[in-house]
Amino acid sequence: MTESTHEPVLIVDFGSQVTQLIARRVRESGIYCEIHPYDRVEAALDGMRPRAVILSGGPSSVHEAESPAASKRLFELGVPVLGVCYGEQTMCAELGGAVEPGQTREFGRAEIEIVRDSPLFEGLGAQGHRETVWMSHGDKVTALPPGFETIAVSEGSPFAAIADEGRRFYGVQFHPEVAHTPRGALILRNFTHRIAGLSGDWTMAAFRAEAVARIRAQVGGGKVICGLSGGVDSSVAAVLLHEAIGDQLTCVFVDTGLLRLDEGEQVVSLFRNHYNIPLIHVDASKEFLGELKGVSDPEAKRKTIGRVFVEVFDREAAKIDGADFLAQGTLYPDVIESVSAKGGPSAVIKSHHNVGGLPDYMKLKLVEPLRELFKDEVRVLGVELGLPPAFVGRHPFPGPGLGIRIPGEVTAEKVAVLQKADAVFLDEIRKAGLYNAIWQAFAVLLPVRTVGVMGDARTYDEVCALRAVTSTDGMTADFFEFPWEVLGRAATRIINEVKGINRVVYDVTSKPPGTIEWE
């Protein structure tokens, strides 16, 4: 948690898979916010003076024993409170209302009807207006606490939105944070700006200045080593650190050999030639491939790559005299998932991160200048710092690299084939002007070989899968609907130009919340 000079909003997490989306929507409107688990709220309040509180959704049932509950202290702060889905239910239960299992459930798109004017719905429509929202609940509020009144209803929920205007307490049974509630961002903005009276003074320029000051205060005259992976996060962290402390920073770029085609050379050129940042480039590709020999389990591969990365980095860092700090590009989602309120899948998802600390044998202190930011905010900061837009706008790339895009054992030959196929795919996407319309696109080398005929010869080669998705949050994704001619050109070029592949398929599965990289 940071000591923010801005107008902070506290988001209390009850285990919803989309809690992070609430924070993203709030930040998009210029409001600084933090997510804290429901069972750690007391500690959060001791170090934070929130100007408003939002209670997230969650999978539990209020009427069940030992279900998570909102701290009564939250309702005694004298600030506005908004409960979302489970957040509305626990607020009602805590304040004297009633929640029961629903006879019917509401999941998916629904329509609410506004039945009473409220600043929460300012700009949506007057009484009688119907608005599309996204529902996801089985329980329902059956009695309102004293002081509350209904401001919207739906077919399955007589208390779809409620308000105690005097205390500025609000509840919505739907999810305003998801894209499927088209004007949900306006509802959240009404809560933060109109009801809470926040000005929206949190900008990336302000974050940059404050981050530089924090880095200087933390580091002083010490030396910092930055683990550079070649990705956007560590690259932005390195440039920010260099702006703050100059040549007190040394970057160590561990080239795993599992990057995209020519990406290692691009990183070295950018940091050495453009920014003149002290850089140690370690080509450890043979070491990584050696350790991956015979390893086919995807989680074992992730852990192996993570372990070897730390070993190589630690070996190189030991050669730098007088290093005091280690910097890494930890992001806010990493922090949130590492302290998940529900235990969750974070231990598996983040198995290649050092979230929450370093191995005991590393005597360096940790610097994480981006730990307050989401991925899209890091990109904005990168542009603010002067990084080329084409560099910071690159599609996300996993820490383990191509190692998890080669199901089964990873070999040098497979890596070379996949790098070429991936490069062709991305080249065709750029030529078609579609790169920025896609959140992530990549090729996967499947552990499948098929018989084909190319010219007058029979082939027995591998299958390449192409994946391209759209996303607004990086948590959920849907497949990109390619024009067939673009897919056709990419597939034809891959088969013609990449020896070892004789068939190309396109993956059209969607990505529900909580899933990890395709592997």
Side-chain angles (χ1 to χ4, degrees), residues 248-275:
Q248 291 171 244
L249 170 71
T250 299
C251 290
V252 177
F253 173 36
V254 177
D255 191 341
T256 65
L258 303 173
L259 300 176
R260 287 170 286 207
L261 188 66
D262 298 330
E263 197 163 56
E265 292 82 352
Q266 294 167 8
V267 171
V268 172
S269 176
L270 178 67
F271 282 86
R272 279 187 180 160
N273 302 335
H274 183 76
Y275 282 100

Side-chain angles (χ1 to χ4, degrees), residues 288-310:
F288 277 87
L289 288 172
E291 292 289 334
L292 288 170
K293 186 175 182 180
V295 181
S296 59
D297 177 75
E299 183 60 15
K301 284 194 291 185
R302 284 176 175 268
K303 290 182 177 179
T304 299
I305 294 169
R307 172 181 58 79
V308 177
F309 187 96
V310 170

Side-chain angles (χ1 to χ4, degrees), residues 448-468:
V448 176
R449 302 187 75 185
T450 64
V451 175
V453 175
M454 299 178 70
D456 294 321
R458 176 173 291 186
T459 63
Y460 185 54
D461 287 324
E462 293 175 290
V463 178
C464 175
L466 304 181
R467 172 89 162 139

Side-chain angles (χ1 to χ4, degrees), residues 220-243:
K223 291 184 178 180
V224 179
I225 304 171
C226 179
L228 197 61
S229 68
V232 173
D233 304 335
S234 63
S235 298
V236 172
V239 174
L240 178 63
L241 285 158
H242 190 249
E243 178 172 295

Side-chain angles (χ1 to χ4, degrees), residues 48-77:
M48 179 185 186
R49 295 182 179 178
R51 295 284 300 276
V53 173
I54 299 177
L55 311 177
S56 86
S60 302
S61 295
V62 170
H63 55 83
E64 293 179 349
E66 300 183 0
S67 61
S71 169
K72 287 183 169 58
R73 188 177 169 189
L74 295 171
F75 305 110
E76 299 168 352
L77 296 173

Side-chain angles (χ1 to χ4, degrees), residues 230-233 235-236 260 263 270 375-376 378-384 386-397 426 429-430 434-441:
V232 173
D233 304 335
S235 298
V236 172
R260 287 170 286 207
E263 197 163 56
L270 178 67
K375 186 77 173 188
D376 57 332
V378 173
R379 296 186 192 281
V380 176
L381 176 60
V383 174
E384 176 77 25
L387 277 161
F391 183 86
V392 298
R394 290 180 305 164
H395 292 173
F397 192 65
L426 294 178
I429 288 172
R430 288 190 176 95
L434 298 174
Y435 191 83
N436 292 332
I438 298 170
W439 185 76
Q440 186 183 49

